[in-house]
Every structure is written in C-alpha cells, then in structure tokens.
Amino acid sequence: MRLSYSADVKIIQVPCTGRVDILHLLNAVEDGADGVYVAGCLEGECHYIEGNLKARRKVAHVKKILTELGIEPERVEMYNLSSAQGARFAEIANEMAERIRALGPTPVKNHTAA
Amino acid sequence: MIVADRKSLEEILGMVADNKKILILGCKGCVTVCNVGGLKEVEILTSSLKIARKKAGNPIDIDIQVLERQCDTEYVAELGEAVNDYDSVISMACGVGPQFLSEMYKTQTFYPAVNTTFFGGATQHGVWEERCAGCGTCGIHMFGGLCPIARCAKSLLHGPCGGSSKGICEVNADTECIWDSIVKKKMEAGQLADLMGVRGLKDWTTARDGGPRRSIREELVQGNI
Amino acid sequence: MSELKSGSNLEKVLKAGHFAFTGECGPPKGANVKHLKEKFKYLKGNVDCVNLTDNQTAVVRMSSLAASALMVTEGLEPNFQMVCRDRNRLAMMSDILGAHALGIRNMLCLSGDHQSFGNHPQAKNVHDIDSMQLIALVKKMRDEGKFMNGDDIDVPPELFVGAACNPFADPYEYRVYRLANKITAGADFIQTQCIFNMEKFRDFMKKVVDMGLHERCYILAGVTPMKNAGMANFMKKFVPGMDIPDALIARLKGVEKKDQAEEGIKFALEQVAEFKEMEGVAGVHMMAIEWEHMVPEIAERAGVLPRPVV
Ligand code: SF4
Ligand code: SF4
C-alpha cells in the first residue's frame, strides 16, 4: 500500500519524541516554518516510558510562548499514532497541512531590509 | 535559594525595542536551579525574542552567555569590554546580577529579565515556596522550626489570627496558615507553654528596615584563611 | 469597686457588676460628619460604649481616632479600635497619646484584616508588632508610664484595654490559650467575634470558666443580627473565621423574605437572653452592621434598657 501525503511536510526523524526539545520547535518557527508537529507513539506505548508525554508538555509550552507572541498556537501540534498506522500518518500530515493552509503563511518572515 | 519568575515577553520586548544587537546573560546559580535563568531559559528567551522581532519585521541579533554567578565580581569581570559591543544586555539572574553588572560596566544598560520573588525552595517539581524573609535575626527554633515572619501574612508572633480556618490562611485558599502548623506541632509535642507569654517587640534593625545591610567577616577581609 | 484604670463608662459599668451592652459604628467612607452624627443618635443612651472600627476589612474610611474624638464631643463613649496592619510602633504610641488627649478612654487592639480584602490591596502592610504586643504596649504606657524604649511618658494615657477573641477560628483547641495569653498581656476586656454557633460557644465558655479566665477579664459576647438569609450565606462563604450553622440559614429561609429581618433579630434576642445567664459572660457586644437605626429597638426588646448610669 502506497500512501500519499502532503508534499509540504518535511520529516525529521528522532529516536523518540522525548528527544524533541522546546528549542527544536522554537527554532523551526524562528527559521520560518509555517507549522511544526510532533508525531509520537500512542500514549502508554512509549518505548522509553514517557518520552511522548514529555513531548506533549513541551508542545504545550511552545504553544504558550507563541500565544504570548501573538502567533497562532495551532501552528504547533502533538499527535500520537502507532508505527503500524500508516494511513493515520498520512491523514495527520494532510490534516496539519490543511490547517496551516487555512492559517496562511507564518508571520515570522526573514524580511530583507527595505 | 533565591527564587524568581520570568518577566513577560511583552515587557522584555519593550525594554529592547530600540536595540538591534543585544546580549542575554544567564547565571548558573539559584536561577538555574529554579529553572528561570540558566542556559536553557536563556536559549528559549533568545529564540522567543528573535521570533517576535522577525514577525515585526525588525530582526534582532542576540548573543548569549551564562556566567558561573552574576553575584560575584570575579565572574562578572570575565565579560570584559566586549560587553560594550551590544546595544544593551538582558540579565536573567536575580536582582543582584544586573546590579553587579551595572556597577562594573557603568556605561552599559542592563535589563532584568526576571522578577526576583523570595528565598525558598521547591516543594514539588515546578512549585517553589517562600521560607525566609531575611529578617536578620533568626528565631525559627522558637516556633517549631517554622518561620512566622516570612510565612504568616501578618508576621504574627503570638499565634494564629482570627481568620485562620482549617489550616488555611485568610489571605487566599492556596496559602497554608503557618500558625496552624506551628500551634499543632507544639501542642502535639506538649510544648504549648513555649508559645505563651508576650515576646519583646521584634528588633527590625537587622531587617531591611535598618537600611541596606552588610556582612563583614574581618578574618576574610584581611585575606584568605 | 477596685481602683479604676481608665475611668471609662464601660469600665465603671463592668466593675459595678452590670451586664454590659456595647455597640459598633463604622466611620463613613468620606468626611461626612453629619452622617456619622446621625448614626450616633441611634446609639446614644442605648449602649455603654461604641466601637469605632479602624479601616474595617481594609477598606479606607475616616480614621477611627477622629471618629472616636467626634463621638466624645457628642457625649457618647467611644471604644477606639486600632489594627496592627496600618501603623508601626511610633504611630501607635503617638495615636494612643492622642486618643487620651482627645478624651478617649477605651481602646480595642486588633491584628486587622489583611489588606487583600479591602479596596487598596496593593498596599504595603506594617505588622511591626502584633495584637498581643499592642495590648502589652498600651498596658505598659498606662501602668508604667513608659514608652516601649523605657523612656518616661509625661502624663501617661489612661485607657481601658480591650482585645478580640474568635472562638470560631482554627485551631479551636488553641483558641482558649490565645485568649488566656491576651489576658496575661493586659487585656481588661474581650469582645468576641460574632457568635452564631451557640453550641460551640457554650463549649468554649466552659473552657474559659474552667481556666478561670472570666475572673481575670470581662468577656463580652459578640452578636450580629442577620438581616436576611442572603447575608448569612454571604458571611458563611466569604468571611474567614466565621462559623454560621446551616440550621440558622434554614431558619431564616424558613420564613418569608420580608420577615427574615425579624427572624434574625429574634435569634439575636434569644442569644442575648442566653448570654445574660451564661457563666463567664459579662455583657454583649452588639454589632448591628450598617443597621445602627435598629439598635434602639434591639436594646429595648433585649431588656437591657435603661443603661446604668455609673
Ligand atoms: S526568622 Fe528571619 S531569618 Fe529566620 S527564617 Fe524567618 S525571616 Fe528568615
Ligand atoms: S490566617 Fe494564619 S498565616 Fe494567615 S495571617 Fe492569620 S495567622 Fe497569619
């Protein structure tokens, strides 16, 4: 089964979502990403016990910072799915791409001096 | 340790609104332990400010550094004249840091990024509570080892006021009435008599009321021992 | 009658063995002397002295010292309240001297509600000394003629020293000891917090009598007539250290709205009747909050009129 998902999504692999840091998410936004999401294992099924739960808390923290900066917090999200759920993976990618499209491009632009 | 809370991004952004290049200085002392001004927090603040300024079409250059301690001239001196390469400097240390910095580098502007709140410790992960008000004359042993100066909203010395209810202070539902704990502890230990009688009026000259305080250890002033 | 400490009417009434009946009056939120004097009218002749509250619940009002002085000129006897929240020891001692100079002869020493309850919650509080020490301070000024630093006072203040007691605050087992300590510190009389839970108060007074505290000090039981069930509910929910039994709320709710005030007064009168008989209780402190005009009727129906002339 070949699954197609939005070509706008760039995947960065990590051994466990627990490895994802607040700064990874913030730096992505800082560098102009329109949205960032973390796809972790199902809750309760983390190989490292609670990596995905930590990731969820970090995502929540980043949402808070973005809100404070007047940026839509929906640009950052946490999803959980198992490695067997290929269809769900594609669905999430499309869902997120759809969401970001609706929000429009990031307000964080590398403006060139006028 | 000294506990502090980060100021809002809005307030910090306002401080450096006219600056193009700044330095954010963390501290490895108390503020690292209470997760407010160590390397991690310096990096998060840096990224947050950069995002905000890019969004506003007015990007900002930020360098970062974390000093061993900002309350020590020896470490503050490490910065050297390079500190003047920046439009301004944000210190993430407690209120002592930006003052030591201001005193050493007289022409530079140092902004405090945190609100220094109290002397205390973490009672659970993510929760810090006040324990001492630095009154300069410690007497906690008279109160079952619990400080009513810092922990009673009215700094009472003779038992709980009329607003103490079910162990909670009248000030708000999240605050324990420390006098409730002191009294219960003393009653259980059969030492109620320790709380009776009228104590002499507290001498506040050793507290901030006596003016700025100073500690002098003669033997150290003369050299290392 | 033993030697008088202050010569206040309240002191004389109590020392003569009469059942005291004191009132309360909140100074205006402004300099409205006319309004204040109107309130005095309802109290004059119906109570032995009147408490003038000191920025009660931390809401700014005319100073209790000024209002007490105005009361003296109107021929009523004030009980000047002072809280530890707003004054340091210098201001306290100077106001105590001022109070005596203005003809004030009773004073009530209190901690004071925390400023967060009031209308200037951003204020810095003082709490240089606490209410226990304030009692001892007034006593020292009066009996030893000395300031707290030991210097002599040129004409010491003569004040009958009062203190508060809340048997309904926690921890309950400790409350009687705190009362004992206030008496040791120098309290001549005690006015309790408003009593609604009679069962608990009976138990408390039993402890007081067992410890012989009533023989060392005059204890006045605090009574506040409820205006309606809403007021009872509000106090239960929002006033810390207030013990309002559900049975009382049910009793008020049990009558029609227009009759609730009368029911509240009836309960207060039943309380006064019981206090008259209760061992250790030397009088009643009637706190008719913003209801001063009802005091003549309440006093009449409570059978405490005419007030003794001593
Ligand atoms: S008594 Fe003074 S020094 Fe001791 S803990 Fe309390 S505030 Fe700090
Ligand atoms: S309730 Fe307890 S902690 Fe709060 S002010 Fe009163 S005595 Fe102090």
Side-chain angles (χ1 to χ4, degrees), chain B residues 151-154 156 160-161 163-164 169-170 177-179:
Chain B
R151 301 173 72 184
C152 162
K154 301 174 187 173
L156 302 180
C161 75
S164 175
C169 171
E170 70 172 25
C177 170
I178 197 63
W179 264 110

Side-chain angles (χ1 to χ4, degrees), chain B residues 153-167 170-171 180 183-184 187 192 195-204 208, chain C residues 89 111-114 116-117 124-125 127-133 136-137 148 166 169-171 173-175 177-178 180-181 185 240-241:
Chain B
K154 301 174 187 173
S155 295
L156 302 180
L157 294 177
H158 296 86
C161 75
S164 175
S165 180
K166 301 184 178 71
E170 70 172 25
V171 172
D180 188 88
V183 162
K184 284 186 177 147
M187 285 185 108
L192 189 62
L195 299 180
M196 302 299 279
V198 185
R199 296 176 195 280
L201 306 197
K202 187 165 173 72
D203 178 355
W204 293 104
R208 198 213 49 86
Chain C
R89 65 190 80 176
S111 305
D113 296 318
H114 193 262
S116 57
F117 289 103
K124 189 176 195 311
N125 60 20
H127 299 294
D128 175 15
I129 71 175
D130 66 15
S131 59
M132 197 70 69
Q133 294 168 324
L137 175 148
M148 289 316 284
N166 185 2
D170 291 320
E173 320 72 58
Y174 176 68
R175 289 291 153 183
Y177 294 103
R178 182 163 160 85
N181 213 16

Side-chain angles (χ1 to χ4, degrees), chain B residues 64-142:
Chain B
I64 64 172
Q65 201 169 329
V66 182
L67 297 186
E68 200 59 36
R69 276 198 302 278
Q70 290 189 24
C71 57
D72 204 321
T73 50
E74 186 186 327
Y75 299 115
V76 171
E78 282 173 5
L79 288 173
E81 282 314 304
V83 83
N84 292 318
D85 296 347
Y86 302 93
D87 298 336
S88 73
V89 179
I90 292 179
S91 163
M92 297 198 79
C94 73
V96 179
Q99 295 192 55
F100 266 57
L101 290 160
S102 298
E103 286 164 31
M104 188 165 296
Y105 304 106
K106 299 197 178 356
T107 55
Q108 182 55 287
T109 303
F110 296 91
Y111 293 110
V114 305
N115 295 318
T116 306
T117 47
F118 52 79
F119 308 150
T123 51
Q124 68 179 76
H125 191 62
V127 179
W128 288 267
E129 285 182 4
E130 181 163 19
R131 286 294 179 269
C132 172
C135 77
T137 311
C138 196
I140 49 173
H141 54 292
M142 297 186 282

